[in-house]
Amino acid sequence: MRNTLTTLQLLSKSEIPEIRRHEIGDELQQAIQIISSNEVGDNDFLTNSDVNLSSRNEAVIAFGRVLVDFSNLLSEVSLSSLSQVMQTDYEYLLGNSLTNVRQNFLNDQLKERLLILSNQLSKIEASLGG
Amino acid sequence: MGLAWWIKKTYVTPKRYFHFFPNRNLTPSENPSFAEIEQLEQRLADSTLNSAAELAALLDAQERKKDHIFSNMYALLDQCRSKNIRVPPSEKLLPDEVLDLAQRIVNIREKLLE
């Protein structure tokens, strides 16, 4: 069954002539390639969850680092999610089976980073008084 | 003392603050150097005073870095543009855990500005 999340302007392939399906498929593959060739993956992770936040100064320093780490993560997840949806659309357009297409927007490394950021935010929230 | 005197209080939602898809108004922004940020952090770490101006300077630098990250993301997205492809809104692409964290960050920022 097709996922309702799509990047296609026309929702059903029955609305798209056969010849244009291949053209759009090529555009999707090109976009997927552009995203994957620019994957950064290993941005420096600045958050230091071991540090105590005993002053407002320390809380703001920690917040700034979380902000940059989270922005990198958000950008990475946005692009990789988009790429996965495009891949699903590509398989759909070409009439390939979607049963083996799995969308996993958060891999284990990203989940681990999210947890660290979430814990650090809890410390910042506590330090600023809830 | 809050930082509202030094930081403009214009971003109020995660969608605006983190430049969710689609956003056609994001202009390329300058990327502050690590040296600049490190210097600002060091000055704060060494200080026992609570200088709102210095806190705001660091936050401003980190927010410029944030905006630079997202302007790079949009530059990449521009290369993928086609009349046949539309980019779904970020709210549909992002897992709930990520959206929740975005909201918490915006809430903390509001608290710092109070």
Side-chain angles (χ1 to χ4, degrees):
Chain A
M1 194 173 139
R2 189 173 175 227
N3 195 325
T4 51
L5 187 55
T6 180
T7 59
L8 299 175
Q9 290 285 10
L10 294 170
L11 293 179
S12 169
K13 68 180 173 192
S14 62
E15 300 173 64
I16 308 171
E18 176 75 25
I19 191 161
R20 288 213 47 226
R21 279 184 219 164
H22 288 280
E23 181 192 323
I24 299 170
D26 288 345
E27 289 178 1
L28 286 168
Q29 280 300 303
Q30 198 178 353
I32 292 165
Q33 187 62 39
I34 288 168
I35 291 172
S36 69
S37 64
N38 281 277
E39 275 174 356
V40 268
D42 283 331
N43 282 308
D44 286 337
F45 195 67
L46 308 169
T47 298
N48 179 2
S49 49
D50 295 332
V51 73
N52 283 323
L53 307 179
S54 53
S55 69
R56 188 179 174 84
N57 288 6
E58 286 167 348
V60 172
I61 291 171
F63 176 75
R65 291 179 172 212
V66 168
L67 180 62
V68 172
D69 285 336
F70 180 73
S71 298
N72 278 318
L73 184 145
L74 184 62
S75 169
E76 195 178 329
V77 175
S78 301
L79 291 171
S80 73
S81 303
L82 180 62
S83 175
Q84 288 179 50
V85 175
M86 285 175 172
Q87 186 65 43
T88 307
D89 287 336
Y90 175 78
E91 304 294 344
Y92 168 76
L93 265 186
L94 268 61
N96 297 335
S97 166
L98 299 180
T99 51
N100 292 324
V101 178
R102 294 235 166 114
Q103 290 180 346
N104 176 21
F105 292 167
L106 280 180
N107 62 33
D108 288 345
Q109 189 198 25
L110 290 171
K111 280 182 189 164
E112 191 184 332
R113 286 184 171 198
L114 262 183
L115 185 61
I116 293 170
L117 294 177
S118 176
N119 290 340
Q120 188 74 339
L121 282 179
S122 298
K123 284 169 71 176
I124 296 168
E125 285 160 349
S127 160
L128 294 173
Chain B
M1 186 179 178
L3 309 179
W5 277 47
W6 286 270
I7 301 273
K8 55 183 178 184
K9 205 173 175 179
T10 50
Y11 307 112
V12 286
T13 62
K15 184 175 180 165
R16 285 192 67 179
Y17 191 58
F18 291 109
H19 308 287
F20 281 9
F21 299 151
N23 177 352
R24 302 185 204 294
N25 302 318
L26 182 59
T27 49
S29 70
E30 160 244 5
N31 188 19
S33 68
F34 279 108
E36 178 188 346
I37 289 174
E38 202 169 46
Q39 191 181 21
L40 290 165
E41 284 186 346
Q42 197 57 52
R43 206 180 300 162
L44 276 179
D46 293 342
S47 170
T48 50
L49 297 174
N50 211 336
S51 163
E54 289 190 349
L55 290 170
L58 175 61
L59 189 55
D60 176 66
Q62 297 287 39
E63 291 192 335
R64 279 184 282 130
K65 195 150 200 73
K66 163 188 75 81
D67 290 340
H68 181 75
I69 291 165
F70 290 110
S71 72
N72 282 346
M73 180 182 80
Y74 275 95
L76 190 62
L77 203 62
D78 278 344
Q79 296 177 49
C80 303
R81 290 220 185 275
S82 130
K83 65 180 187 302
N84 298 305
I85 298 173
R86 67 181 173 90
V87 177
S90 294
E91 290 92 332
K92 290 189 175 176
L93 282 173
L94 295 170
D96 288 344
E97 304 97 298
V98 176
L99 294 171
D100 288 347
L101 231 57
Q103 183 64 61
R104 284 174 68 193
I105 289 173
V106 167
N107 291 347
I108 291 175
R109 184 182 185 273
E110 288 288 310
K111 205 169 180 63
L112 288 171
L113 294 184
E114 281 169 8

